[in-house]
Amino acid sequence: MPIEPSNKRVRSLAKVSSLVNLISPSKNGAVRRFGQTVQSMSSRDTKSPGMSLKAGSKASGPTPTKRRNSTLWSETLDVHQKSTFSTKEIKRQEAIYELYRGEQDLIEDLQLARKAYHDPMLKLSIMTEEELAHIFGDLDAYIPLHEELLIKLTEGTGPDGTVAQIGQIVIDWLPGLNAYKNYCSNQLAAKALLDQKKQDRRVQDFLQRCLESPFSRKLDLWSFLDIPRSRLVKYPLLLREILRHTPPDHPDVTSLETAITIIQEILSDINVRKGESECQYYIDKLEFLDDKQRDPLIDNCKTLLCHGELRNKSGSRLHVFLFSELLVLTRPVTRNERSCFQVYRQPIPVRDLTLEDLQDGEIRMGGSFRGAFTNGEKAKNVFRVSSLDPSHGQSHTLHVSDVYHKQQWLNCLRTAMSQQQGAPARVQRGQNIPAKSHSSVSSATVCEEEENENCPPVSGPKLRPQTLSKTRLDQKLQGSVKRKETGV
């Protein structure tokens, strides 16, 4: 058995991971995860984009500091220069400079992931070349893409250090981000493999040493691998911030609005690809007892709406998946050191589902499972799903950890049933807890996970992430330019 780090260190790692919002197949906490601050961490010197890329290339190796400076554009000017610009123009240039500095930091981190993690692990035979390729993807291929934007911004910078028009520069550059489709689609499987390899003592020791080294800035390997995804979701925020400080009669307004539309379409396409990949990932991990148990509808499922660990009436743990077409109850098992989910009973087509919202204390949960319930204890946060098809004859009373996660499950089930059954979901006693719009299934976006994929937590349903509205996005921008130091 591999030697585990001390409990104190494990808790510390979990906290670090949560700061960078690891990729998740879930919606649980997705809004918080998208509430990342816009300003990226910086460790470059204080030169502006117009002072050439040489400044950005000086520190191509790991930085010896644990924190990055975050110098504002206005701080690169002397008093006389600053007095020549209006307050509005200074804020506009600050927003453009934030975009520029973020690209510098991203390039540095991509280079660090290769030099400090990938290459040493390959040289020391800690992982095979195939395993590393699966985990790291084509990170090196994205460096020239972001260097191109830096070059264009530098060329567009005037003698006074300002970028007069950035909209067309961004419009011409954005289509290159489509290259991230495969990378983001593979992240769930890459995270699962990395978690599995962490059980190896050599991998564990190597990653722990890196974490304790100054160059890591207290971020673990997955934090670096997830930086491109976190950067993608910041582009709409950054462009909106630039637009907010651009005068209405400025020629950049129309171009910036077009750029925002383009990046949203790109992110939407990436979301669709990621959602399909995530759905297939879990379908491949399902283990059917026989061919009859494998419902043909499983092949039509392209979306995983919700999943998580629940308990049935006897207290047994089940991992439940709500696909667009099927509700599948499973038991987590391990086969040849590979985690999978053994299907429990017959999957229920969503079109045949009925949903019953049970009142607290209305039923008693029998039996006991590792102290989950005392015999005959009145249960809270319980609902029941049944099949309308008499040939199935199924009814499952399911217990959720708390009322919040119960509400998430109810909302997801109602939405799925409404879509499949072409009418409002059948809820026999569901009016007592009104559905909340923020928990309903809507559009998905690129998100992350803190848990080990091979050991699903008990905390609640993992929901497909929701895209923040424009208002929520704008709220996240408030004060971002003023902040001097922030997480990824």
Side-chain angles (χ1 to χ4, degrees):
M1 292 291 292
I3 297 178
E4 297 288 341
S6 67
N7 289 335
K8 182 176 181 180
R9 176 59 61 191
V10 170
R11 288 195 294 270
S12 176
L13 285 173
K15 184 180 291 185
V16 170
S17 298
S18 65
L19 293 177
V20 296
N21 299 323
L22 301 183
I23 188 75
S24 175
S26 68
K27 279 182 182 174
N28 190 19
V31 172
R32 290 196 304 273
R33 287 167 183 158
F34 281 105
Q36 300 176 18
T37 54
V38 176
Q39 186 168 349
S40 301
M41 296 184 292
S42 314
S43 65
R44 304 288 183 176
D45 58 28
T46 59
K47 296 185 179 181
S48 67
M51 305 181 85
S52 87
L53 293 178
K54 292 182 179 179
S57 61
K58 288 182 179 179
S60 59
T63 172
T65 60
K66 294 182 180 179
R67 297 171 64 87
R68 284 174 161 170
N69 294 323
S70 185
T71 305
L72 300 177
W73 176 80
S74 58
E75 295 174 345
T76 68
L77 308 174
D78 57 36
V79 176
H80 174 71
Q81 284 179 305
K82 190 173 181 179
S83 64
T84 63
F85 300 109
S86 66
T87 302
K88 186 79 171 179
E89 181 62 20
I90 289 176
K91 290 182 178 180
R92 172 177 154 82
Q93 294 302 320
E94 296 285 18
I96 294 174
Y97 189 58
E98 183 177 359
L99 172 64
Y100 177 88
R101 289 291 296 269
E103 294 300 294
Q104 285 185 320
D105 295 339
L106 175 60
I107 292 170
E108 180 181 275
D109 287 332
L110 293 179
Q111 292 170 338
L112 178 63
R114 165 67 66 174
K115 295 179 179 179
Y117 291 93
H118 179 282
D119 292 351
M121 284 195 287
L122 179 61
K123 185 176 181 179
L124 297 173
S125 299
I126 294 177
M127 289 193 201
T128 67
E129 186 172 1
E130 182 180 357
E131 290 170 336
L132 290 170
H134 191 70
I135 293 172
F136 284 80
D138 298 324
L139 281 184
D140 285 352
Y142 306 126
I143 294 176
L145 171 64
H146 297 282
E147 287 178 336
E148 178 188 351
L149 180 57
L150 291 184
I151 292 172
K152 295 297 183 182
L153 289 175
T154 301
E155 293 174 348
T157 303
D160 59 355
T162 64
V163 179
Q165 294 188 42
I166 189 177
Q168 192 59 47
I169 293 174
V170 177
I171 288 174
D172 295 339
W173 176 79
L174 282 175
L177 293 179
N178 282 301
Y180 277 108
K181 287 182 179 179
N182 290 336
Y183 183 80
C184 291
S185 297
N186 184 60
Q187 277 195 292
L188 184 61
K191 177 67 165 55
L193 177 59
L194 178 60
D195 287 335
Q196 178 184 338
K197 296 301 296 183
K198 283 180 182 179
Q199 306 305 312
D200 185 310
R201 179 175 178 178
R202 294 188 67 202
V203 175
Q204 192 177 95
D205 289 346
F206 176 84
L207 295 180
Q208 186 63 37
R209 288 176 183 273
C210 289
L211 184 67
E212 295 171 351
S213 298
F215 71 78
S216 74
R217 308 193 309 277
K218 299 296 183 181
L219 301 178
D220 61 12
L221 171 57
W222 185 253
S223 302
F224 287 101
L225 297 177
D226 189 49
I227 283 174
R229 181 216 52 81
S230 65
R231 182 66 180 170
L232 285 175
V233 299
K234 288 178 183 175
Y235 286 121
L237 306 177
L238 291 164
L239 294 177
R240 288 186 191 280
E241 181 72 357
I242 296 172
L243 179 61
R244 191 163 70 93
H245 297 297
T246 300
D249 57 347
H250 196 287
D252 231 7
V253 170
T254 301
S255 297
L256 285 170
E257 291 174 342
T258 301
I260 292 171
T261 300
I262 291 174
I263 184 59
Q264 288 176 331
E265 290 174 351
I266 292 173
L267 290 180
S268 178
D269 290 342
I270 292 176
N271 295 335
V272 171
R273 286 280 298 274
K274 177 189 173 294
E276 292 176 352
S277 175
E278 169 190 318
C279 183
Q280 191 59 48
Y281 172 84
Y282 282 108
I283 289 175
D284 291 342
K285 293 174 79 70
L286 296 179
E287 183 181 88
F288 296 91
L289 297 178
D290 51 50
D291 292 339
K292 182 180 179 181
Q293 195 182 39
R294 182 182 176 90
D295 193 302
L297 286 174
I298 196 68
D299 298 323
N300 298 333
C301 295
K302 300 297 182 184
T303 306
L304 175 60
L305 302 177
C306 180
H307 75 99
E309 190 173 284
L310 306 177
R311 294 179 185 269
N312 62 14
K313 191 172 182 179
S314 64
S316 299
R317 292 192 303 173
L318 299 175
H319 199 93
V320 182
F321 295 91
L322 177 59
F323 296 99
S324 54
E325 309 279 343
L326 283 173
L327 179 69
V328 184
L329 285 71
T330 73
R331 288 192 173 109
V333 295
T334 301
R335 305 286 190 227
N336 299 322
E337 299 184 353
R338 176 183 175 272
S339 67
C340 56
F341 300 92
Q342 185 180 79
V343 176
Y344 171 75
R345 304 287 294 275
Q346 186 70 23
I348 304 176
V350 173
R351 64 171 181 258
D352 295 333
L353 269 179
T354 60
L355 174 63
E356 185 178 358
D357 179 8
L358 301 176
Q359 300 298 310
D360 290 349
E362 185 173 339
I363 67 168
R364 295 180 182 272
M365 306 297 284
S368 176
F369 185 84
R370 296 185 179 178
F373 309 106
T374 57
N375 192 30
E377 178 183 352
K378 289 186 177 181
K380 297 181 179 180
N381 309 316
V382 181
F383 63 91
R384 180 179 294 127
V385 290
S386 307
S387 174
L388 290 172
D389 188 344
S391 65
H392 284 171
Q394 292 192 67
S395 178
H396 302 280
T397 301
L398 301 171
H399 175 265
V400 192
S401 57
D402 54 53
V403 67
Y404 172 73
H405 290 122
K406 175 185 176 180
Q407 187 64 59
Q408 286 186 315
W409 274 105
L410 291 176
N411 289 337
C412 282
L413 286 163
R414 288 166 180 162
T415 301
M417 292 164 63
S418 177
Q419 291 172 348
Q420 287 295 317
Q421 299 171 0
R426 300 177 179 86
V427 184
Q428 296 181 14
R429 274 172 278 180
Q431 302 304 318
N432 56 307
I433 303 180
K436 299 179 182 179
S437 60
H438 77 271
S439 294
S440 64
V441 179
S442 61
S443 58
T445 190
V446 188
C447 76
E448 44 234 332
E449 163 158 47
E450 301 171 19
E451 310 92 324
N452 182 329
E453 282 300 319
N454 295 318
C455 186
V458 191
S459 58
K462 304 298 174 261
L463 309 172
R464 287 290 302 151
Q466 302 174 17
T467 303
L468 290 179
S469 65
K470 179 180 181 299
T471 302
R472 288 295 302 272
L473 290 172
D474 290 342
Q475 289 174 350
K476 297 301 179 182
L477 283 166
Q478 300 301 321
S480 73
V481 175
K482 297 180 181 180
R483 283 194 282 273
K484 286 299 190 82
E485 180 67 29
T486 183
V488 176

